[in-house]
Structure formats: structure tokens, C-alpha cells
Amino acid sequence: MSVSTAAADRCVRSPLPVLGRDVTVPLVTGGEVAYAALDYAASAPALQRVWDDVAAYAPYYGSVHRGAGYLSQLSTDLFENARGTVAEFLDCREGDQVVFTRSTTDSLNLLARALPADCQVFVFETEHHASLLPWQTARVTCLDAPRTPQQAVRTLERALADRDPYGPALVCVTGASNVTGELWPVRELAAAAHAHGARIVLDAAQLAPHHPVSVRDLDVDWVAFSGHKLYAPFGSGVLAGRADWLRAAEPYLAGGGASRRVTRREDGGVAVEWHESAARHEAGSPNVIGAYSIASACKALTEAGWDTLVAREQHLIATVREGLAEVPEVRILSLFGDDAPRVGVISFVVEGWNSSHFAAALSAEYGIGVRDGLFCAHPLVRTLLGGDPQSPGECGAPEAAPGEKSLNAIRVSFGAGTPDEHVERFVGAVRELVRDGAKWQYRTEDGRCVPAVQR
């Protein structure tokens, strides 16, 4: 191995420093172990860089856009600079707006409030609830789950061709599935939408932490993502994209910061002139620390180099998928097949196991944190499992007998901060649990499977 190749290999195998990497947790079988956080798809740990930047700024925290004092001015500059950093991270177009929100869910609900009258929304049933549910006041066309990326494009094209060509329309699509991790053909879907006079919003909650997202290159009209999945868990999110619908809409929240001028009317009422900038939808005191943390994460990921980050993640994905493939009782869930490009999100079922029981055993006996259930994507999981998801029942009981349908699934997810040892321990734990069974007894408490107290 050459020096350059060895250096590249070490770089690929080196995770970004995150908080919690030294946390140990107790095992029901005795002793402690370093916690393996493998639930990044729900919330990723904070990057050490993000935490350090926030800690350095915290003593200088002040009101944003509301004060003449030094700390207020500094905080205002930091907040607006964060907006510019996010716009650069997303490769936004000139004239695009970056609105800070609370989360992806909040971003898409904001856009739903900004839809023109009689707008028709097209969304696949495979979406996360954050991008499936906000459009209830619009005319919604829910599209069947495709089984290939090409089928997704054809399905959308047919649906758009049948719509009223003169009315406004919006397509909402994920960039990467929060259940299967599979990448969606965003660029092709955007082209199909624009060819039929529709706009498109990209739910990048699962894409942005794993891959570069370019608004220009993908040619999407808006993109939404959350800080807590981008290694910046401080309660902030982003909606970025075209300004016209946002400027024309009533403010998402009415209040200070969104208003440019407020006067009394002769009839005793109040007249308001709203901002046309992103501030129009950022009423109240903004979450400056949340915005700054997102900007810090954007810088850290960019500086680490996407080629390196993606290569390392693909190494982790291969480790998990190849390890699970060696266990005959495990079935990995997929829409597009084994060869589909994907991020570090993998869901599976284990024959003869209740998924909640399996996840609880991974935590209690191995110190591994994963997620079980339906992952806020009920229609998609229903499709993948081949039936209606149900309550898992008692956690000690088998989820499904051999040949029967599973009720829930288990999800393992990871990213730039995941050490190799964590995914290797996970694969070994799955193999051991399937072969030997759980070492402990478990019971159901408040709908969750937990270790039983043994006497």
C-alpha cells in the first residue's frame, strides 16, 4: 500500500468528533460499555465543532434585530451570516430566501401555508409524515409507492399530465428515505415537475447530513432540512428557495420581527406592513443559537470534504448490509432493490422476533441504540411489510411466526460521527441474538419493551 493510499484509507476510516463518544451505559447483564448511538436518522449527536462554536458564542448572546448594544449587534450579524452560510451550503440561486424554522416539519408546514389558492400537491405515499401530512388544506394527490426510480418519474409524469395545466401545483419528495435510506431521483423528478408547470420541494432531512445538496444542480424550488439531523441539535431548521410564494403569503406567525410598520387605523383597528424578506416568516425572537449551530455544522461538513465523508459512510453501509446478509433470519427492507444507492439508514425485520423486543435487547444487553416501529412513515412501512402495521403486542412474544407478516421493523442508522466499532458491534450483536436468543427477560411498559426486574 502506498503512502498516499494509506493516508486516504485512514481518512476514510476516521469519524468526525461528536459529543457522547465517551459515554458509557450499564448493561443488564452487568458492567458497562461505550454507548453505540445508531439512531442518527432520528437525531444525530452534536458535532464537537458545533458544541465548541456555540459555547464560544454563548457569553455574547443578545437579542437579534432589536438592540443597539454591542451584543445585540454581534448576535444580529452572526444570525444573518448564518443565513448566508446555509445558502452557500445549499448552493442557492440569487434571490432565493433562507428562512430559519424549528425543523423540517415546521419548514414544510410553513410552505403549506404559503401555497397559492387552489394549488394541487403531489406526494408519494412513501414520504415521512413531515412531508406527507402538511398539505391537508390543499388538493392532495397521493401517489403509489414506486418500485424503481424510473417508475417514480413515470408515475409523477402521468399524474401531472392529468392535472389542470393552468392551476398551481407542487411536488413534494424526499431526497433519501428515512426507512430504507435509498436515494430518490430528485433531479429527474424536478425536471418532470417543471416540464408540466409544477414546482417541487425537496425534503432533505435525511439527505443533507450524508450528501451535498445543490439547489441549482437538482433544480428544486425549495429545500427543507432539520438541524438535529445535521449534527446541530439546537431546535432549528431551514426552508430555502424561491421567494415569490413566501412573499405573497400571510406571515407564518404574526408578531414582532415579521412586521415592518404597524399603525392604527381610523376605525380603531391595526394596519400592518409586513417584511418581504425571510423575516416575514420569522416572527418573535429568533433561535440565534439554533441558526448558528446549523451554520457551524454546514461549515464542518464542507471542510471535512464530501468525497471523504461519503466514501467512509459507504464503507459502514457495506459492513452492516454484508453482516446482516449473513443472517438468514434477517430481511432488509427496500423499495428499489439491493443495488440502489443509499445513505446510512437500514431497516429490517428478524423472523420470529418482535421488533421492539429485539431493539430492547440490543440496548439493554449490548449498549446499542437503534429504533423500532413505523418510523413516522406508516404507509411506506405498510407497503414494505406487506400489510397493515399493528401494535407489537407483548414484547416477549414473537412478532410473527415463520411465514407470517411482520408488524413493525428495526432501523439502524449512522453517519459521519459513527466509529467502525459501533457498526461491527451491532452486526455481531444481531448475529448473537438470532443464534442464542436474549439473555434477559423483558416486559411491556407504557407501550415499550423494557428489561424485567429479575428476582
Side-chain angles (χ1 to χ4, degrees), residues 4 19 123 133 168 215-216 218 223 240 243 284 297 301 306 343 411 454:
S4 59
L19 297 185
V123 59
L133 302 181
V215 170
R216 294 176 193 266
L218 295 173
V223 61
L301 292 171
W306 280 113
V343 300
R411 184 181 70 190
Q454 296 194 351

Side-chain angles (χ1 to χ4, degrees), residues 141-404:
T141 298
C142 190
L143 306 175
D144 292 340
R147 284 299 184 170
T148 67
Q150 296 78 15
Q151 186 183 18
V153 177
R154 290 195 299 268
T155 298
L156 179 62
E157 288 176 333
R158 286 195 297 268
L160 290 171
D162 291 339
R163 78 177 185 89
D164 179 355
Y166 300 105
L170 177 71
V171 176
C172 180
V173 67
T174 189
S177 171
N178 77 301
V179 177
T180 67
E182 292 163 316
L183 299 181
W184 277 62
V186 177
R187 186 181 294 103
E188 292 80 2
L189 291 168
H194 294 152
H196 289 84
R199 296 190 179 190
I200 185 168
V201 56
L202 169 63
D203 174 356
Q206 298 295 342
L207 183 63
H210 304 275
H211 277 268
V213 176
S214 169
V215 170
R216 294 176 193 266
D217 181 52
L218 295 173
D219 197 23
V220 294
D221 297 280
W222 293 276
V223 61
F225 69 87
S226 297
H228 72 100
K229 298 186 193 299
L230 195 78
Y231 311 97
F234 291 90
S236 194
V238 166
L239 176 67
R242 300 198 181 279
D244 53 350
W245 285 10
L246 299 177
R247 286 175 180 160
E250 288 296 307
Y252 187 46
L253 296 174
S259 57
R260 178 162 31 201
R261 187 168 180 265
V262 180
T263 58
R264 288 287 302 274
R265 297 197 308 258
E266 290 184 1
D267 63 4
V270 176
V272 185
E273 179 182 341
W274 303 106
H275 280 296
E276 292 189 354
S277 65
R280 183 185 190 89
H281 299 291
E282 295 175 343
S285 295
N287 180 2
V288 58
I289 287 181
Y292 183 44
S293 69
I294 287 181
S296 174
C298 290
K299 290 179 180 178
L301 292 171
T302 301
E303 291 169 5
W306 280 113
D307 288 346
T308 297
L309 294 176
V310 171
R312 182 173 187 280
E313 185 170 314
Q314 292 305 308
H315 159 72
L316 297 179
I317 292 171
T319 298
V320 174
R321 287 180 60 84
E322 290 169 8
L324 294 181
E326 295 174 354
V327 184
E329 293 83 354
V330 170
R331 177 169 71 92
I332 296 176
L333 304 182
S334 175
L335 270 177
F336 300 154
D338 291 341
D339 295 331
R342 64 191 73 236
V343 300
V345 179
I346 299 168
S347 295
F348 62 98
V349 292
V350 183
E351 182 179 327
W353 277 83
N354 176 300
S355 294
S356 180
H357 185 194
F358 200 89
L362 284 173
S363 175
E365 299 177 27
Y366 298 92
I368 298 170
V370 298
R371 186 172 172 188
D372 65 278
L374 306 175
F375 319 127
C376 292
H378 295 187
L380 172 55
V381 177
R382 178 183 298 116
T383 295
L384 296 173
L385 296 181
D388 290 333
Q390 304 172 33
S391 169
E394 291 299 314
C395 68
E399 183 181 45
E404 293 183 353

